[in-house]
Amino acid sequence: MIFGAPRCEIVFALRRALRTLPATFLSEVNVRSFPLRTTLTTQDRVVLRAVAEAMFSEDGEVEEGRLDAHLEEVDAFISSASKPLRAGLRFALFVVRIAPLLLFMRARRIESLSVGERVRVLSRLERSPFAHLSLAFIGWRTVMTLVFYEHPAELATLGYASDERKVYKRRLALVPAPVSVAARIVAVAPEPAESGVRLRDDVHAHDSERAPAVAAKDDRVA
Amino acid sequence: MTILLGRELTSPMSTSVDVVVIGSGAGGAVVARELARAGRSVIVLEEGGYHPQKEYAALSPSRALSTLAREAGLGLAVPLGDTPVMSVLAGKCVGGSSVLTGGVCFRIPDEVLHDWSTRLELDGLTPDALAPFFAEIERDIEVETVPESMRSRSTELFVEGAAHLGVPMKSLRRNTSGCKGASRCNFGCPNGAKMSVDVSVLPEARKHGATIISDALVEKIDVERGVARGVSGRFLDARTGEPGVAFEIRARVVVVACGSLHTPILLKRSGLTTAHVGRHLTLHPAFRVGALFDERVEGWDGAMQSVYSDHFADEGLTLVGVYTAPSVLAAAFPGVGRAHRRVVKSMPNLAFFGAMLHDDGGGRVMRWLSREPLVTYRMSARDRHRLWKGVGILGELAFAAGAREVMLPIFGADAITSPQQLRALVASPPSTRKVECMSFHPLGSAKMSADPAYGVVKPSGETWSTRNVFVADGSVLPTSIGVNSQLPVMAMALRIARRIAADFELHGRLAAA
């Protein structure tokens, strides 16, 4: 008990307060997820943040608050998984944490290394001949990368500016101005060259019967 | 027309209906609609939540996975022996896995059906007998051929590479209406163009009076003296997601459609077990290679999947052009720190080519510590050989298309820069455990058989052990089919539903007795 309140309540209150700090960086994590639970402990977050720095901010190119927000997003993502899977992920994080000991016989934890050293350890872990050892890191890298590169700023650096698509417009240009229903059917829904593995003749006949519906649908789209 | 949110129900529920359907995915939705159309009172129980299309359309891939998929999309098949670790994706929402598929629609290949109807002696599963069911479902979910104009540049390069090697490519068919080529079908279509069952089939079921209850975990099928009386379970608590308020539904017919991962678990928990429940799981292991080009590819601009090749079908391989959300692709890139960032930054110049194995099986589903099953998979020697052959073919295609570097699906491996390197690697491959594989089509864990000694359900879908319990999902398919399973599952479910409707009075009398 501290100041009359149970310690766990104080920890929860601090966690809640910390979560509001990087709120400006949060994109969708504010959407309340179901179920409402968290997975990562304070210690896990320290380790994960160290890994995130090595993965995404080796040269300090990512803002501090962004990494904090990233941890929240990762926690929200994995928390809908089952208890055994979440426990497995936490165990994998423990393996990453003691990787310097496992790989280099150095009695150091990953978070106590410099960013450069962390990169070296994680690279070695990724290429470990022991598949299960490397999977501990690869699993976390997959989760963290999936979440990190969803950020609009990161997508923009890849040239993925928005959901706007050019190919779709190319298709629209192919749809001719409606002259007659029959002409539209021929133009919009040509006989498919192939529509299934070892397709039989009667399927082609069926697709032709469907053509009017396809034409009407494409009108809606246009 | 009703959808009840189980997480909001605070008092126990008990009711009686003609049919209770467990699961609202491709199989369950079709059965519910057919029996509701036939005038039966139907309740559909779905363990996942209800998320309208407009809601999931706005979700990022990670949010879509944590909201719509089992295990947040992180589920794995535990490898046994020299087998790759395989992620297994399955839906957990109203609409099930159909919300998370790429929308690719194939009929079951004729040679597979020929095998089922001759070697396995399964009545009524010939190509001619199933054709009307396929045709009807294709109409219902608006299956259409992906036009060439919707191909992304990544797919065009795939086709070009294949043309150089003399491998013919064909256009895929998908259940879409007004696709805008967002290239992220398997996280819920952002444009509402994919005709998953939550938008194409379930609305009609609801129109005919079916009630859908989300967040409803069925714990047991209640069986008395060899006859199912209904099901019991609990609604998931709104805060914790754990089972809370109880429900009981009495029904004259129980249809299990929880998918290949959960149907065996429910059958076992209900005592409807045989030696075959949970065995014979096939996964269609899938893999992809990344190809780096000098030109800008921007493969996200176009349909996610639009071409395939069955040129190597006799060798158990289907080649498929594939691209998905950039963050998902980046998640599989090798390297750490600057090295990883460098590869990610090359994303606009990357194309992806994929392949899928028509596998021999070797999977198993078991109950263990949580509600989610333990899935194990032992890849056969033949499939390992096919896998490396597939990696070689995809790599050759990439170099033939003009790729500067090729990233193979091997954990921790550097990109290769020449066909010679590729051939050397495929000639003496590393451990298959190092290969990155995915599975989107778990099938066969409660397989159909002509004899109770060899399977779990009859050709009619009824379980061998209990007369008014039916299974209508991918778990009944007796072997791997080698093609995407959404359309086959729906056609089989339609066939099973029609049988139930035709014999309903018989089942009803049995339950009443």
Side-chain angles (χ1 to χ4, degrees):
Chain A
M1 303 282 279
I2 302 172
F3 305 127
R7 184 182 291 173
C8 62
E9 282 189 14
I10 291 174
V11 171
F12 285 139
L14 279 173
R15 252 191 224 174
R16 276 196 296 274
L18 280 172
R19 260 176 227 164
T20 58
L21 282 177
T24 48
F25 296 96
L26 298 182
S27 50
E28 286 179 291
V29 80
N30 287 326
V31 177
R32 287 167 75 84
S33 55
F34 173 77
L36 304 172
R37 64 182 170 216
T38 57
T39 301
L40 300 173
T41 63
T42 310
Q43 187 58 63
D44 293 336
R45 284 162 188 269
V46 171
V47 179
L48 208 56
R49 199 182 191 292
V51 177
E53 277 175 359
M55 276 301 300
F56 310 119
S57 193
E58 192 177 352
D59 301 317
E61 62 265 51
V62 179
E63 295 171 60
E64 292 288 307
R66 168 101 175 80
L67 286 182
D68 293 332
H70 174 64
L71 296 189
E72 292 298 330
E73 290 168 340
V74 167
D75 200 0
F77 174 49
I78 63 172
S79 290
S80 63
S82 66
K83 202 178 278 184
L85 182 59
R86 284 181 284 135
L89 281 169
R90 291 192 59 210
F91 179 72
L93 197 58
F94 173 72
V95 171
V96 172
R97 191 181 191 206
I98 61 168
L101 178 68
L102 297 173
L103 299 172
F104 296 100
M105 300 304 285
R106 286 179 66 188
R108 300 280 299 274
R109 294 173 184 143
I110 191 105
E111 69 269 24
S112 66
L113 302 177
S114 68
V115 175
E117 285 176 312
R118 278 179 232 160
V119 170
R120 199 163 67 88
V121 169
L122 294 175
S123 301
R124 179 81 176 271
L125 188 57
E126 183 197 17
R127 289 158 189 266
S128 166
F130 303 105
H132 289 101
L133 210 56
S134 61
L135 279 174
F137 168 62
I138 288 167
W140 272 107
R141 184 182 63 190
T142 302
V143 170
M144 294 169 75
T145 310
L146 169 64
V147 174
F148 187 81
Y149 286 104
E150 277 177 1
H151 196 278
E154 296 298 332
L155 288 173
T157 61
L158 303 180
Y160 187 99
S162 69
D163 286 336
E164 188 64 27
R165 296 288 186 270
K166 288 173 272 188
V167 162
Y168 167 61
K169 290 179 177 170
R170 189 168 77 194
R171 184 191 179 194
L172 288 181
L174 291 179
V175 179
V179 179
S180 67
V181 172
R184 242 185 302 163
I185 292 166
V186 173
V188 177
E191 186 77 8
E194 178 60 69
S195 47
V197 168
R198 286 158 180 72
L199 190 71
R200 287 142 21 97
D201 291 340
D202 56 337
V203 182
H204 288 295
H206 155 68
D207 271 9
S208 304
E209 285 165 21
R210 246 189 79 244
V214 175
K217 191 170 59 198
D218 278 17
D219 275 356
R220 282 205 311 274
V221 173
Chain B
M1 176 173 126
T2 316
I3 287 193
L4 295 176
L5 305 183
R7 71 181 73 168
E8 291 179 357
L9 299 177
T10 52
S11 52
M13 188 176 101
S14 180
T15 188
S16 294
V17 286
D18 289 333
V19 184
V20 62
V21 181
I22 309 161
S24 66
V30 170
V31 172
R33 185 195 63 178
E34 283 309 301
L35 295 173
R37 266 181 183 169
R40 303 297 168 192
S41 56
V42 178
I43 282 185
V44 182
L45 298 169
E46 167 58 51
E47 184 189 349
Y50 172 59
H51 304 279
Q53 187 275 327
K54 279 186 181 161
E55 183 186 320
Y56 65 67
L59 298 176
S60 66
S62 72
R63 289 287 298 171
L65 287 174
S66 62
T67 307
L68 306 172
R70 289 198 173 276
E71 299 283 41
L74 299 171
L76 292 174
V78 176
L80 302 178
D82 192 13
T83 300
V85 176
M86 228 178 303
S87 63
V88 183
L89 186 67
K92 185 182 172 186
C93 57
V94 171
S97 299
S98 80
V99 178
L100 297 172
T101 66
V104 173
C105 291
F106 282 107
R107 294 186 177 196
I108 301 173
D110 284 1
E111 64 269 25
V112 174
L113 290 176
H114 179 72
D115 181 47
W116 292 1
S117 54
T118 55
R119 186 175 62 85
L120 303 181
E121 298 176 356
L122 294 169
D123 289 339
L125 294 181
T126 60
D128 286 335
L130 283 178
F133 297 108
F134 280 119
E136 189 172 338
I137 293 291
E138 284 163 359
R139 266 195 302 275
D140 293 343
I141 61 173
E142 306 195 31
V143 177
E144 61 181 4
T145 305
V146 185
E148 284 189 23
S149 56
M150 285 296 287
R151 290 179 185 175
S152 66
R153 181 66 189 135
S154 174
T155 302
E156 286 174 350
L157 288 165
F158 188 40
V159 174
E160 284 172 28
H164 278 117
L165 299 183
V167 176
M169 287 279 169
K170 302 168 183 176
S171 290
L172 281 169
R173 293 193 309 159
R174 299 183 308 159
N175 56 328
T176 55
S177 174
C179 173
K180 293 183 179 175
S183 200
R184 44 156 293 179
C185 317
N186 51 351
F187 304 103
C189 178
N191 301 310
K194 189 170 69 181
M195 295 290 104
S196 45
V197 295
D198 58 317
V199 294
S200 60
V201 177
L202 286 173
E204 206 190 331
R206 291 161 64 190
K207 198 169 80 186
H208 285 93
T211 298
I212 299 162
I213 308 180
S214 67
D215 316 295
L217 172 71
V218 174
E219 294 176 320
K220 197 166 177 258
I221 301 167
D222 299 319
V223 181
E224 290 173 20
R225 294 191 294 275
V227 178
R229 303 293 177 190
V231 300
S232 55
R234 290 171 189 274
F235 298 120
L236 301 182
D237 183 83
R239 185 169 172 74
T240 63
E242 296 300 322
V245 178
F247 65 80
E248 183 190 48
I249 294 170
R250 314 288 286 176
R252 294 156 79 185
V253 168
V254 175
V255 180
V256 185
C258 315
S260 288
L261 302 185
H262 281 261
T263 287
I265 302 298
L266 180 61
L267 293 178
K268 279 184 180 175
R269 206 185 290 136
S270 308
L272 310 180
T273 188
T274 73
H276 298 281
V277 174
R279 293 175 185 266
H280 315 294
L281 180 76
T282 65
L283 290 177
H284 285 168
F287 49 94
R288 65 188 170 208
V289 304
L292 183 67
F293 290 87
D294 289 326
E295 66 168 294
R296 247 180 121 74
V297 177
E298 297 189 351
W300 53 75
D301 192 355
M304 189 181 105
Q305 290 171 292
S306 50
V307 299
Y308 76 100
S309 174
D310 59 2
H311 189 67
F312 301 99
D314 291 339
E315 296 166 73
L317 279 166
T318 303
L319 310 186
V320 187
V322 66
Y323 206 95
T324 187
S327 58
V328 179
L329 294 170
F333 288 167
V336 180
R338 282 186 212 109
H340 187 264
R341 296 277 271 178
R342 200 165 42 239
V343 183
V344 173
K345 281 180 180 161
S346 68
M347 178 85 76
N349 293 45
L350 278 167
F352 286 88
F353 308 157
M356 185 169 79
L357 289 183
H358 183 164
D359 60 335
D360 290 332
R364 195 171 170 190
V365 180
M366 288 171 276
R367 292 169 69 187
W368 77 318
L369 302 173
S370 76
R371 302 203 303 265
E372 297 298 331
L374 174 66
V375 181
T376 61
Y377 189 79
R378 185 187 295 277
M379 186 174 267
S380 70
R382 186 167 74 153
D383 285 341
R384 283 199 294 276
H385 174 75
R386 289 165 165 175
L387 186 146
W388 287 112
K389 175 157 191 168
V391 170
I393 291 168
L394 293 178
E396 295 280 0
L397 280 180
F399 283 119
R404 181 157 41 95
E405 288 180 21
V406 172
M407 288 191 294
L408 300 175
I410 302 169
F411 293 128
D414 291 323
I416 55 170
T417 53
S418 72
Q420 290 74 23
Q421 277 179 292
L422 175 73
R423 284 167 208 150
L425 187 138
V426 173
S428 56
S431 165
T432 314
R433 279 171 171 263
K434 288 284 211 178
V435 177
E436 180 210 358
C437 271
M438 296 146 276
S439 166
F440 305 99
H441 316 133
L443 302 169
S445 55
K447 74 171 189 169
M448 202 172 261
S449 65
D451 185 309
Y454 300 112
V456 180
V457 301
K458 303 171 188 174
S460 64
E462 194 173 37
T463 56
W464 283 110
S465 58
T466 309
R467 284 200 54 191
N468 57 339
V469 175
F470 290 79
V471 180
D473 58 28
S475 65
V476 301
L477 302 188
T479 67
S480 167
I481 54 176
V483 294
N484 303 52
S485 57
Q486 178 182 226
L487 184 63
V489 167
M490 294 180 80
M492 291 291 274
L494 180 61
R495 177 178 170 274
I496 290 167
R498 292 270 160 82
R499 292 276 187 97
I500 297 173
D503 297 335
F504 194 84
E505 292 307 327
L506 180 69
H507 300 304
R509 278 202 298 277
L510 185 74

